[in-house]
């Protein structure tokens, strides 16, 4: 079999094996299966990414030639996203065994089956070249995510999941309406085919309405302010391993699909010409950056704090798109990569403390710095990456964003990026201050350092954050390629 | 008048969609929210299926003497979307049952914002 024939297995492996995982008893076997599957997908995604030529890699399912059949179409943009998604899933699982054992005492087979389904959905959205297939995989990942968010023992997770379900379904239905309009106007669902046929009917209200529906629907999935309301509670009350996984993947995939629609299907000129999309995105991105960081500074629940920080980071991602330049788009992809690393790492650090203290409230972190020095040092280093201190991955993203803003002649954006970074300093510092400068709440029973099974993956994340801060050839090169591919069309 | 009659299906779609959407927002009861969500989704199904109708077209089955067929693809797409809709409703109802068990109510107003709930010991 050639690499092209292996490529669909990135999605098929987690999709098929999720059924097997549901049948496995006990705690170790399902975890092992899930971890092995995610790792295999990661390796395959890496091989595909390395093996890509200038032409996209295409695979037609069931040998039905596109545009009739469904095809997977992989270029440098979605290969990179697939690599990020599967990589973060493997890292989350590597870290999550102990944490899941504590938070999910029973029926772990089904838990990991849902995890694999969510992973398969996200990877499917990324790799497919068919607009309707995007909707189907979006719902596969969303439905399993709703169940996963509700899987913990905290009853608030149920409410968070229900509200996420309502908003997520509205978003997905908007996308379906949009795809319906496009299908009515062009008679095709294949992305490359759509891109060919849309220019002929571009100047109609149906296509414009379809475009608007798709952008709003994806904006909901992306948690772009003001459509972010589902995100903080869903992240805060989900089991920790799920939070780590979602924080690194779900919003990233939504952003990738949005870029695919904007650049490949509609074409950049149409997308930014038919609607004042760049202006809208700029305003929402800036609002997201400021509001997200502002709320994070005062949030007493640290998982919610990090979730609001994610809203701010989505703002950075969208800001890169709104600059409408190759540098801005490169910044978006670099940040996509780096933010997945740092936010997954930060949630791992919070989860590691929660493994011992059982609470994400800031009071539970009092004095933890001396009791769990390895965990909190990792948190501090990852926090520096989030702030954007040189020699960390976060610095590279901020550097590119600022460069993009200067290139576009928008000096006020540079000021805003710096101000929101300072706000990040404030909310990271709150945790450091609580962990090292406050006396522990309970002097009698100090918490012990976390087990090595949690610490080693956590420090792996720290190492990755620092590595990609120092050696940017891999992340930047990949991001530049991805941006060029998107701007160049299929 | 012709505008209304010739686009009758689409007017129904818009009407159902807005009823459903309003219900999702306005109702505090989670079951009613899910029903409204179902209505909202169903309206989109009707939109797709209306688009597949070819005037004068027969059912899309190959046989002698019939040249003009309706487009079967939207039906296939909507079959998938219906499955998705059923699954969504099922997950939503399962969550509503669990919420009833955990909180003793499924009225949104009575539960309030989960983030303000005091930390459980």
């Amino acid at each position: 079999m050639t690499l092209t024939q292996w490529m669909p297995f990135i999605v098929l492996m987690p999709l098929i094996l999720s059924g097997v995982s549901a049948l496995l008893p006990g705690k170790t076997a399902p975890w092992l299966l899930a971890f092995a599957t995610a790792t295999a997908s990661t390796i395959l995604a890496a091989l595909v990414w390395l093996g890509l030529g200038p032409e996209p890699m295409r695979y037609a399912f069931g040998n039905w030639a596109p545009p009739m059949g469904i095809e997977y179409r992989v270029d440098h943009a979605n290969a990179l996203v697939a690599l990020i998604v599967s990589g973060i899933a493997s890292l989350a699982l590597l870290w999550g065994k102990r944490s899941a054992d504590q938070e999910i005492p029973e029926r772990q087979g089904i838990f990991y089956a849902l995890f694999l389904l969510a992973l398969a959905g996200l990877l499917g959205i990324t790799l497919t070249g068919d607009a309707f297939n995007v909707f189907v995989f979006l719902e596969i990942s969303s439905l399993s995510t709703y169940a996963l968010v509700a899987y913990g023992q905290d009853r608030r997770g149920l409410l968070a999941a229900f509200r996420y379900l309502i908003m997520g379904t509205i978003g997905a239905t908007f996308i379906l309406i949009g795809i319906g309009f496009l299908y009515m106007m062009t008679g095709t669902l294949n992305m490359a085919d759509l891109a060919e046929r849309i220019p002929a009917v571009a100047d109609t209200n149906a296509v414009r309405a379809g475009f608007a529906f798709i952008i709003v629907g994806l904006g909901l999935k992306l948690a772009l302010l003001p459509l972010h309301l589902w995100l903080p509670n869903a992240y805060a009350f989900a089991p920790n391993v799920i939070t780590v996984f979602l924080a690194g993947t779900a919003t990233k995939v939504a952003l990738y699909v949005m870029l695919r629609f904007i650049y490949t299907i509609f074409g950049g000129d149409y997308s930014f010409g038919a609607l004042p999309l760049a202006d809208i995105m700029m305003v929402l991105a800036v609002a997201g950056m400021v509001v997200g960081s502002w709320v994070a500074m005062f949030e007493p629940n640290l998982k919610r704090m990090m979730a609001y920080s994610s809203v701010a980071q989505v703002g950075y991602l969208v800001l890169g798109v709104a600059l409408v330049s190759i540098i801005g788009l490169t910044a978006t992809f670099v940040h996509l990569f780096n933010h997945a690393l740092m936010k997954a790492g930060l949630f791992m650090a919070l989860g590691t403390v929660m493994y011992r203290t059982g609470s994400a409230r800031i009071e539970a972190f009092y004095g933890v710095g001396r009791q769990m020095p390895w965990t909190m040092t990792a948190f501090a280093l990852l926090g520096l990456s989030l702030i954007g201190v040189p020699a960390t991955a976060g610095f590279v993203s901020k550097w590119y964003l600022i460069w993009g803003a200067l290139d576009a002649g928008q000096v006020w954006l540079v000021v805003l990026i710096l101000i929101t970074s300072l706000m990040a300093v404030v909310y990271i510092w709150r945790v450091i201050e609580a962990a090292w400068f406050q006396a522990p709440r309970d002097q009698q029973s100090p918490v012990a350092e976390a087990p090595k099974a949690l610490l080693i993956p956590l420090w792996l994340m720290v190492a990755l954050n620092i590595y990609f801060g120092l050696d940017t050839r891999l992340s930047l090169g990949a991001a530049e390629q991805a941006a060029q591919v998107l701007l160049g069309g299929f | 008048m012709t505008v209304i009659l010739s686009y009758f299906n689409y007017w129904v779609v818009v009407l159902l969609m807005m009823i459903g959407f309003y219900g999702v927002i306005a109702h505090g009861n989670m079951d009613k929210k899910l029903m409204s969500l179902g209505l909202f989704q169903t309206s989109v199904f009707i939109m797709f299926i209306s688009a597949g109708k070819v005037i004068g077209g027969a059912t899309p089955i190959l046989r002698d003497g019939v040249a003009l067929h309706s487009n079967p693809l939207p039906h296939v797409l909507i079959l998938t979307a219906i499955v998705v809709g059923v699954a969504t409703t099922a997950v939503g109802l399962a969550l509503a049952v669990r919420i009833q068990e955990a909180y003793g109510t499924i009225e949104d107003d009575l539960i309030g914002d989960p983030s303000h709930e005091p930390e459980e010991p």
Side-chain angles (χ1 to χ4, degrees):
Chain A
M1 280 167 82
T2 60
L3 190 59
T4 310
Q5 285 164 322
W6 276 108
M7 180 263 285
F9 281 90
I10 299 174
V11 182
L12 292 179
M13 278 188 304
L15 193 65
I16 295 166
L17 291 173
S18 68
V20 179
S21 168
L23 301 173
L24 290 178
K27 290 184 173 176
T28 306
W31 174 81
L32 205 61
L33 179 74
F35 178 65
T37 312
T39 311
S41 281
T42 313
I43 293 169
L44 204 49
L47 286 176
V48 167
W49 180 69
L50 287 173
L52 275 179
E55 286 295 304
M57 196 182 273
R58 303 172 63 169
Y59 181 87
F61 269 92
N63 222 3
W64 292 88
M68 282 304 149
I70 292 169
E71 70 165 342
Y72 277 9
R73 197 174 177 120
V74 183
D75 55 26
H76 283 98
N78 51 4
L80 177 66
V81 178
L83 184 58
I84 295 172
V85 170
S86 51
I88 292 291
S90 327
L91 288 166
L93 283 168
L94 182 66
W95 174 84
K97 170 86 178 90
R98 285 292 195 93
S99 174
D101 282 349
Q102 191 191 43
E103 286 179 283
I104 297 133
E106 55 193 5
R107 288 189 299 160
Q108 284 205 352
I110 295 183
F111 176 76
Y112 287 114
L114 287 169
F115 188 101
L116 286 177
L117 268 183
L119 175 63
L122 290 172
L123 288 170
I125 300 170
T126 311
L127 296 184
T128 188
D130 185 278
F132 192 79
N133 211 226
V134 167
F135 166 75
V136 174
F137 275 119
L138 190 76
E139 285 294 41
I140 290 179
S141 74
S142 300
L143 283 168
S144 36
T145 308
Y146 307 145
L148 284 171
V149 168
Y151 222 93
Q153 289 174 311
D154 193 330
R155 67 174 186 168
R156 292 171 295 182
L158 297 170
L159 276 183
F162 188 85
R163 287 173 190 170
Y164 183 15
L165 180 136
I166 298 284
M167 296 192 78
T169 307
I170 291 174
T173 311
F174 268 43
I175 296 169
L176 185 61
I177 298 171
I179 292 172
F181 276 125
L182 294 189
Y183 178 69
M184 284 180 204
M185 295 309 290
T186 61
T188 179
L189 290 164
N190 183 284
M191 288 184 182
D193 228 25
L194 276 170
E196 268 172 33
R197 295 194 198 175
I198 281 180
V201 290
D203 198 26
T204 54
N205 278 335
V207 171
R208 273 193 285 267
F211 181 62
F213 269 115
I214 288 171
I215 293 294
V216 174
L218 286 170
L220 243 163
K221 290 280 170 195
L222 174 63
L224 182 61
L225 195 106
L227 305 170
H228 69 285
L229 291 170
W230 58 268
L231 184 137
N233 282 341
Y235 280 17
F237 303 126
N240 278 316
V241 54
I242 299 308
T243 312
V244 171
F245 173 57
L246 289 182
T249 54
T251 51
K252 317 284 180 292
V253 171
L255 182 77
Y256 156 75
V257 182
M258 194 185 259
L259 288 174
R260 185 58 90 193
F261 271 97
I262 288 177
Y263 281 107
T264 306
I265 297 183
F266 287 94
D269 294 338
Y270 178 78
S271 302
F272 293 106
L275 295 168
L277 187 65
D279 296 337
I280 297 171
M281 282 180 135
M282 182 81 80
V283 171
L284 295 181
V286 167
M289 281 155 56
V290 175
V291 174
S293 307
W294 181 261
V295 178
M297 291 200 303
F298 302 101
E299 180 55 54
N301 181 318
L302 294 184
K303 269 178 91 181
R304 260 172 76 89
M305 177 189 96
M306 278 302 155
Y308 272 108
S309 156
S310 275
V311 174
Q313 304 291 326
V314 167
Y316 291 131
L317 290 170
V318 175
L319 183 66
V321 183
L323 290 171
V324 202
S325 65
I326 181 95
I327 304 171
L329 207 55
T330 308
T332 299
F333 271 104
V334 171
H335 197 48
L336 204 88
F337 184 85
N338 291 338
H339 179 245
L341 286 180
M342 55 182 139
K343 201 41 79 63
L346 280 164
F347 274 116
M348 273 185 201
L350 290 183
T352 309
V353 177
M354 282 179 78
Y355 180 75
R356 286 293 190 215
T357 64
S359 168
R361 302 277 301 182
I362 188 145
E363 296 85 23
F365 281 68
Y366 284 171
V368 167
R370 291 177 197 286
Q371 293 161 343
M372 305 176 74
W374 286 98
T375 312
M376 288 314 292
T377 307
F379 180 88
L381 288 172
L382 291 162
L384 291 179
S385 181
L386 185 74
I387 293 162
V389 173
T392 60
F395 175 72
V396 184
S397 334
K398 294 263 165 81
W399 177 264
Y400 260 77
L401 263 180
I402 290 175
W403 185 21
L406 284 177
D407 188 60
Q410 314 259 29
V411 181
W412 64 282
L413 280 178
V414 179
V415 177
L416 263 173
I417 292 169
L418 293 177
I419 290 176
T420 48
S421 300
L422 285 175
M423 289 159 99
V425 175
V426 173
Y427 60 73
I428 293 294
W429 176 253
R430 282 173 63 216
V431 186
I432 307 290
E433 199 256 355
W436 268 287
F437 295 97
Q438 298 277 356
R441 270 196 309 180
D442 188 358
Q443 302 277 6
Q444 269 69 46
S445 55
V447 288
E449 180 57 272
K452 291 212 171 51
L454 293 174
L455 278 179
I456 291 169
L458 176 60
W459 276 88
L460 183 63
M461 295 305 282
V462 175
L464 285 173
N465 266 284
I466 292 173
Y467 177 77
F468 286 112
L470 295 174
D471 181 5
T472 57
R473 279 172 302 180
L474 193 62
S475 54
L476 258 185
E480 265 166 6
Q481 266 178 332
Q484 271 160 4
V485 161
L486 274 184
L487 285 177
F490 259 139
Chain B
M1 202 59 198
T2 49
V3 176
I4 295 174
L5 287 178
S6 57
Y7 292 104
F8 179 71
N9 285 22
Y10 295 101
W11 285 108
V12 172
V13 168
V14 171
L15 194 69
L16 281 178
M17 195 183 286
M18 286 305 116
I19 293 172
F21 202 32
Y22 174 79
V24 173
I25 297 166
H27 282 302
N29 184 299
M30 291 178 185
D31 281 352
K32 288 182 183 165
K33 266 190 199 294
L34 286 173
M35 282 183 216
S36 308
L37 199 64
L39 201 58
F40 179 63
Q41 288 181 303
T42 310
S43 70
V44 182
F45 305 162
I46 300 176
M47 181 182 100
F48 265 83
I49 292 188
S50 306
K53 174 70 187 164
V54 177
I55 292 171
T59 43
I61 299 168
L62 279 181
R63 64 211 135 134
D64 292 334
V66 182
L68 192 62
H69 297 285
S70 282
N71 184 354
L73 187 65
H75 301 98
V76 181
L77 298 180
I78 286 318
L79 263 178
T80 316
I82 288 173
V83 174
V84 168
V86 170
T88 309
T89 314
V91 174
L93 286 173
L95 282 172
V97 170
R98 293 273 315 273
I99 290 170
Q100 169 77 37
E101 283 169 7
Y103 286 87
T105 177
I106 49 167
E107 291 290 337
D108 228 7
D109 304 342
L110 297 177
I111 296 172
D113 190 346
S115 59
H116 295 311
E117 198 175 306
E119 195 76 14
E120 285 166 36

